[in-house]
Amino acid sequence: MDTLLKPAHIDLPASPRSGQRPDPNHADCRGVASVLSRVGDKWSVFVIMMLGDGPKRFNELKRMINGISQRMLTLTLRGLERDGLVTRTIFPTIPPRVDYELTDLGRGLSRPVEALGKWAMEHLAQIEAARTRFDKRGEN
């Protein structure tokens, strides 16, 4: 069954028209956009923050990240693993134990991500107040 709801704005910036050379100053925009979409995703930010102090098991992460579903945590961890930011280690125990840990690349990202998370927490009240003011303005 087809739905009327179709995703919008799913394409990255258009490639140059035929015959035009790509602008060398913007040649990496598509690659950078895909990286930023991963590390800018709210769940990825939370996972990276939680793994900043060492390896964690799946259920440990799930308990620490309020509101994330099992499926979303699985998808987020897979994406971070694919991008080389997280490693998944399986220990041959019964039942098997699986740990997730930041790679060197992921640890390099954890500082800016933690700074962003800290900034968001410190300014949450101000942002909520600004949203309230903005929303009230639209009611008039």
Side-chain angles (χ1 to χ4, degrees):
M1 187 166 118
D2 195 21
T3 178
L4 295 174
L5 299 174
K6 302 281 185 197
H9 306 291
I10 59 173
D11 295 323
L12 292 172
S15 57
R17 293 185 184 126
S18 101
Q20 286 184 336
R21 288 190 172 164
D23 182 344
N25 296 320
H26 301 286
D28 294 332
C29 286
R30 287 176 181 252
V32 170
S34 73
V35 171
L36 290 176
S37 71
R38 164 71 59 218
V39 300
D41 169 78
K42 72 176 178 179
W43 297 123
S44 294
V45 169
F46 283 124
V47 168
I48 291 166
M49 287 176 66
M50 296 303 118
L51 292 176
D53 62 350
K56 304 276 185 300
R57 295 176 81 171
F58 184 91
N59 285 329
E60 197 176 358
L61 285 168
K62 189 165 180 330
R63 280 191 301 274
M64 294 172 83
I65 303 171
N66 189 24
I68 193 167
S69 69
Q70 184 167 331
R71 175 171 158 58
M72 187 51 65
L73 181 55
T74 298
L75 292 172
T76 301
L77 287 165
R78 277 191 195 149
L80 291 170
E81 185 179 9
R82 180 175 183 256
D83 289 347
L85 300 170
V86 168
T87 58
R88 181 177 183 258
T89 305
I90 303 170
F91 295 93
T93 59
I94 299 175
R97 176 181 163 180
V98 180
D99 280 357
Y100 295 91
E101 184 175 13
L102 292 176
T103 62
D104 287 341
L105 187 61
R107 279 189 289 279
L109 177 62
S110 70
R111 280 198 183 113
V113 164
E114 286 177 22
L116 178 62
K118 183 179 176 187
W119 182 90
M121 286 181 202
E122 289 173 355
H123 295 90
L124 182 60
Q126 290 172 276
I127 291 169
E128 287 175 344
R131 288 175 179 168
T132 300
R133 285 190 306 274
F134 180 88
D135 292 347
K136 283 183 180 174
R137 211 174 55 200
E139 291 173 2
N140 296 331

